[in-house]
Amino acid sequence: MLSLETITNNINNWLNNHVSSTWATIIEMLIVGLLVIGLFAMLGLILVLMERKVSAFMQIRVGPNRVGFKGSLQTLADTLKLVLKEGLTPKGADKFLFNLAPYVVMCAAMLILAPIAFAKNFQIWDINIGVLYISAISSISVIGILMAGWASNNKYSLLGAMRSGAQIVSYELSAGFSVLCIVILTGSLQISDIINAQQNGWFIFKGHIPAIISFIIFIIAVTAETNRAPFDLAEAESELTAGFHTEYSGMKFALFFLAEYVNIFVVCAIGAILFFGGWMPLHIGNWQGFNQVMDYIPSSLWFILKVFGLIFLIMWFRWTFPRLRVDQLLNLEWKYLLPLSLVNLLLMTVVAIMGWHF
Amino acid sequence: MAITEIIFWFLSALAVISAIMVVLSKSPVHSVLWLIAVFFAISGHYVLLNAQFIAIVNIIVYAGAIMVLFLFVLMLMNLNKETEPQKNLWMKLTGVVSGGCLLIILISLVRQATEIKGKIAVTKTGDIGLIKVLGKELFSSYVVPFEISSVLFLSAMIGAVVIGKKD
C-alpha cells in the first residue's frame, strides 16, 4: 500500500544507493526544507481562506466568493497583492532589527515542525525530548515579537509587543502543565512514544477527568499563546491599531500573518498528538474488528482531520467570544488556570500511580 | 574535516563574536539580543556533546525566560542616546583593570586544573546529558538539594499568585 512511510524509505534507499551517505543526508535535508516551505505556503493559503469562510459561516454571511470557484483563489490574489506592495521601513526605526524580526518569528514557527509526526513513521526529527523541544522553541517567537515592536519606533507597536510578550510568557505555564499531565501518563517526552502509548485509546478518553481538564486548559492557553481572539489584546484594533506589526507592510507583514496561521496549525497539531493520538486511528481497547476497520483509513488523513477539527474549534472561539481586558486576561491565568493546573497535575499523578487509566 | 568539526568551529566563532558584540554594541537592547545569540551557540555545543536535554533547558531558561525579562525591562525604560549615562575616564579605566584581573585569575585556574588537562570532549556519544540519566542522578545522589530547590520555585510561583490576588 502506498503510504508516506514507504515513499520516504524508497527515496532514502535510492539516494543511499546512488550517492555517498553524506551527500544523501544533505540532499534529504534540502528536500525536507523545501517540503517545510511548501507546507507553509499551503497552510497560509488554506487557513486564511478557512478563517474567512468560518467567520462568514458564524455570522451567516457568504464570505469571499468572487475569485476562483466559490472564492477558493481569494488568498492567492491577496498574496499577489501583498508581494507587489512596497515594503516600507519607517524613519527612526532600527533598520536591522526591523527587517530581521519577521524572519525570527518565521524561523521559530518552522523549527517547531521538526518533532511533529504527520503520519505513521513520517517525522523530521524524533528527538528524545520532543515535547520539551516544542515548548523551548515556542518561547523564541516572543523574542521576534518584542524585536518587531521595539524596532518599529512606534508606541502602539511597543505596547502591542509588551502585551503579547506578557501574554505568551504567562500562558506558557498553563500550557506546560497540561503537557506535563500527558507526559506523566506516558512516562516519556518523545513524540513517537506518546503516540504509541495511545494504541488502545486516545489520552483524552484514557486519562479520565484530569485529561479532559488539561485539554481544556491547553486549548485556552494555546489560544492565548497564538494571540488570537478572545486573547488578541496584542493587536486590539480599537486600542493599538494593529499591535506589534503596525509599521509593517508588504511581504514583511505577510510573513507575520503567515506565522500566526502556521502557529495555529502547530499548536493544534501538538494538541492532536497529545490528546487525540496524532496519526493513531480511533481504537477502542481490544475490539479487534473495530480497530482493524479504523486502520484502513490512512494515518495521514487521521492526523489532518484531527488538526483541522481543532483549528475549527479555535476559529469558533474567535468569532463567538468578545475580547478580554488586560486585567481579566492576567487574572484568568494567574488566579484560575495556574492553581487549577497545579491541582490537576496532582490528580493526574494519582491516576497514573494507582493505574486507573486503562 | 568532518562535519562535526565544521559545526564546532562555526558555533565557537559565533559564540565568541556574539559575546564580543554584547560588550561592544552601544544599544542595550542590541546587547541583549547578541547575548541570546551566545546562548544559542552554547546550546548548539551541548547538542554536539549529545546533551540534548541540557541544550533545550538552556534555551528555555536563558533565551526564553531570563532574556525576555531583560528585553521587557530595557524596552520599557526607553534607553536611547540622550539618556545614556556618561562615565568618566577613571571609571572606565578601573573597569578595564578589574575585568583584566578576573580574566587572569580564570586563565590561571584553567591552566592549573589538572583534571581537565589533556582530555578531549566526546562528541555524539555518551549519555550523561540525556534526560533519563540526568533524572536518575538528580533523584538519587542529589535528591535533597533538588527537592529543596523545587520547593523554592513552587513558593515563588505561589508568591506570584498571592501578589496577584492582593488588590
Side-chain angles (χ1 to χ4, degrees), chain A residues 2-9 118-122 299-300:
Chain A
L2 195 69
S3 71
L4 290 169
E5 186 190 354
T6 50
I7 294 172
T8 47
N9 282 342
F118 291 92
K120 195 176 184 180
N121 294 332
F122 189 70
S299 56
S300 48

Side-chain angles (χ1 to χ4, degrees), chain A residues 153-167:
Chain A
N153 194 22
N154 177 329
K155 290 195 174 59
Y156 290 138
S157 302
L158 186 61
L159 281 175
M162 289 292 158
R163 282 186 182 186
S164 163
Q167 196 171 315

Side-chain angles (χ1 to χ4, degrees), chain A residues 97-348:
Chain A
L97 291 186
F98 185 82
N99 291 320
L100 185 68
Y103 297 100
V104 171
V105 174
M106 278 302 279
C107 285
M110 277 189 179
L111 282 172
I112 306 181
L113 284 180
I116 287 174
F118 291 92
K120 195 176 184 180
N121 294 332
F122 189 70
Q123 199 171 358
I124 298 173
W125 187 25
D126 195 12
I127 184 175
N128 62 0
I129 41 165
V131 178
L132 210 60
Y133 172 86
I134 290 170
S135 68
I137 301 298
S138 62
S139 63
I140 299 307
S141 61
V142 187
I143 294 169
I145 290 174
L146 284 177
M147 232 188 234
W150 183 78
S152 301
N153 194 22
N154 177 329
K155 290 195 174 59
Y156 290 138
S157 302
L158 186 61
L159 281 175
M162 289 292 158
R163 282 186 182 186
S164 163
Q167 196 171 315
I168 293 175
V169 168
S170 47
Y171 275 82
E172 215 159 59
L173 275 174
S174 316
F177 274 121
S178 51
V179 169
L180 267 188
C181 285
I182 299 304
V183 172
I184 287 173
L185 276 182
T186 323
S188 170
L189 292 165
Q190 200 163 355
I191 297 283
S192 57
D193 282 355
I194 290 176
I195 293 173
N196 284 327
Q198 308 184 49
Q199 184 86 48
N200 53 355
W202 300 343
F203 273 141
I204 193 146
F205 305 128
K206 275 169 81 176
H208 304 303
I209 296 165
I212 295 170
I213 295 174
S214 63
F215 174 67
I216 294 169
I217 293 173
F218 179 81
I219 211 84
I220 294 173
V222 297
T223 315
E225 272 196 60
T226 45
N227 285 328
R228 285 177 62 83
F231 303 101
D232 66 341
L233 295 144
E235 41 198 279
E237 296 90 348
S238 47
E239 305 162 26
L240 292 177
T241 319
F244 62 88
H245 54 63
T246 305
E247 295 287 358
Y248 284 87
S249 59
M251 216 44 217
K252 278 177 265 174
F253 165 74
L255 282 181
F256 276 120
F257 202 58
L258 186 61
E260 184 190 330
Y261 282 97
V262 172
N263 276 330
I264 295 165
F265 174 82
V266 164
V267 294
C268 289
I270 296 161
I273 286 169
L274 293 176
F275 297 96
F276 295 96
W279 48 262
M280 192 63 82
L282 177 62
H283 285 169
I284 300 181
N286 294 319
W287 295 11
Q288 293 298 339
F290 179 78
N291 290 352
Q292 271 170 7
V293 170
M294 283 298 164
D295 282 341
Y296 276 109
I297 303 172
S299 56
S300 48
L301 197 64
W302 274 108
F303 180 74
I304 297 286
L305 281 178
K306 286 170 194 174
V307 173
F308 274 85
L310 285 178
I311 291 174
F312 179 74
L313 191 69
I314 284 188
M315 287 183 176
W316 190 354
F317 289 161
R318 172 161 182 176
W319 298 102
T320 42
F321 288 118
R323 183 183 299 138
L324 270 74
R325 277 200 322 264
V326 173
D327 59 322
Q328 290 170 332
L329 175 97
L330 291 176
N331 276 352
L332 176 69
E333 164 64 18
W334 294 100
K335 287 189 191 172
Y336 301 105
L337 287 186
L338 186 65
L340 185 66
S341 43
L342 278 172
V343 173
N344 191 41
L345 190 67
L346 273 181
L347 254 175
M348 185 56 101

